[in-house]
């Protein structure tokens, strides 16, 4: 198994939606690549995470009989664009952009992870003066993770909107990763940030976040799906099935861990996508109804 160089992506919210809605080129049907390129999600593409993915890549390689190459990506749009161009065959995806990509770019949802203790946090500097979400206004600098991130963009914006914050006039930026968004708050380059709850726990336990400098201000409801395995249009149906057989119903600790610490991996048709439908409608994202 080989680690490839990073595939560049565009990190802009409007560009993400516009590029997805523009349509995609068709790949040849029943394509069986000589090497199966597995995309790594943005903000997670570090050495430790790739090391953790190596056993998973080995399982997929054994199941399909095809060498697996881990491919770092710059952002979620980078994954979609790479899949359109056949530069990536499959990817580990965040649930919201996975569904959006399925509807507008014909990617295949292969497996969905559930049961992870997973939510979105709004964290703020203790020096920011932000005590509640009502204190966030156009003068508050807030770092989101990535335009395609579920817990680092879509869900926290829904939380802010529901609290009465004018999300169309946020003083926002995209940090590129959950860790970099959190560090931006601690270092004072942002007043607040949106991050996954697991990231907060990990960074506090590791001593990377000082709770005297950064505090939780709000938390979303639990997010029912942590991770989705997706495949590009035109990839062999046999490969889809072989990979689904690896994930769906698996009790393998490595598989569950890499799927966001899930307790179960299920068929996407059996997953509850309601929170993502509701978020799409509230945020004005063009997402068709999910069956």
């Amino acid at each position: 198994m080989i680690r490839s160089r990073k595939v560049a992506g565009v990190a802009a919210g409007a560009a993400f939606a516009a590029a997805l809605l523009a349509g995609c080129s068709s790949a040849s049907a029943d394509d069986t690549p000589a090497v199966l390129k597995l995309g790594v999600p943005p903000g997670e593409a570090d050495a430790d995470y790739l090391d953790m993915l190596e056993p998973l890549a080995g399982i997929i390689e054994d199941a399909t009989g095809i060498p697996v190459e881990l491919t770092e990506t710059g952002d979620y749009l980078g994954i979609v664009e790479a899949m359109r161009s056949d530069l990536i065959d499959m990817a580990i995806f965040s649930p919201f952009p996975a569904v959006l990509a399925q509807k507008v770019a014909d990617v295949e949802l292969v497996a969905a992870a559930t049961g992870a203790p997973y939510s979105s946090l709004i964290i703020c500097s203790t020096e920011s003066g932000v005590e509640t979400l009502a204190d966030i206004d156009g003068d508050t600098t807030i770092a989101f993770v990535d335009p395609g991130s579920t817990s680092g963009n879509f869900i926290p914006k829904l939380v802010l909107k529901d609290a009465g914050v004018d999300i169309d006039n946020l003083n926002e930026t995209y940090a590129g990763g959950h860790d970099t968004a959190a560090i931006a708050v601690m270092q004072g380059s942002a007043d607040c940030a949106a991050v996954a709850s697991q990231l907060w726990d990990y960074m506090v336990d590791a001593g990377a976040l000082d709770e005297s400098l950064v505090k939780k201000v709000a938390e979303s409801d639990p997010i029912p799906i942590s991770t989705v395995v997706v495949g590009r249009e035109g990839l062999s149906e046999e490969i889809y099935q072989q990979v689904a057989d690896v994930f769906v119903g698996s009790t393998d600790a490595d598989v569950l861990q890499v799927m966001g610490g899930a307790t179960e991996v299920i068929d996407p048709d059996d997953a509850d996508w309601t929170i993502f439908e509701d978020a799409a409608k509230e945020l004005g994202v063009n997402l068709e109804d999910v069956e």
Side-chain angles (χ1 to χ4, degrees), residues 91-115:
I92 307 298
F93 236 76
S94 179
F96 195 111
V99 178
L100 183 57
Q102 180 200 34
K103 295 302 180 184
V104 299
D106 293 327
V107 304
E108 181 84 8
L109 305 188
V110 180
T114 65

Side-chain angles (χ1 to χ4, degrees), residues 101-267:
Q102 180 200 34
K103 295 302 180 184
V104 299
D106 293 327
V107 304
E108 181 84 8
L109 305 188
V110 180
T114 65
Y118 174 54
S119 61
S120 179
L121 302 177
I122 304 292
I123 63 173
C124 297
S125 164
T126 54
E127 299 296 319
S128 66
V130 176
E131 299 294 333
T132 70
L133 294 183
D135 296 324
I136 295 178
D137 56 27
D139 294 325
T140 307
T141 56
I142 182 165
F144 295 96
V145 172
D146 177 273
S149 175
T150 298
S151 60
N153 187 52
F154 289 111
I155 296 301
K157 282 185 176 174
L158 181 61
V159 170
L160 289 166
K161 186 175 186 296
D162 287 345
V165 176
D166 183 0
I167 63 171
D168 293 326
N169 291 299
L170 290 172
N171 184 3
E172 65 180 51
T173 188
Y174 289 103
H178 292 266
D179 53 349
T180 50
I183 293 298
V185 175
M186 192 170 73
Q187 293 181 341
S189 57
D191 296 316
C192 301
V195 299
S197 56
Q198 305 102 310
L199 184 282
W200 170 275
D201 295 338
Y202 172 80
M203 292 187 73
V204 169
D205 290 345
L209 271 184
D210 185 341
E211 292 185 87
S212 70
L213 301 176
V214 184
K215 62 183 178 183
K216 297 179 187 178
V217 172
E219 183 170 4
S220 73
D221 291 335
I223 300 172
I225 302 168
S226 56
T227 308
V228 186
V229 178
V230 306
R232 65 170 172 80
E233 183 185 14
L235 193 63
S236 166
E237 290 292 338
E238 182 180 10
I239 293 176
Y240 288 147
Q241 188 59 56
Q242 289 168 335
V243 175
D245 288 344
V246 169
F247 284 94
V248 177
S250 176
T251 58
D252 185 282
D254 289 336
V255 172
L256 295 176
Q257 177 60 36
V258 80
M259 294 292 276
T263 58
E264 186 178 12
V265 183
I266 64 176
D267 187 314

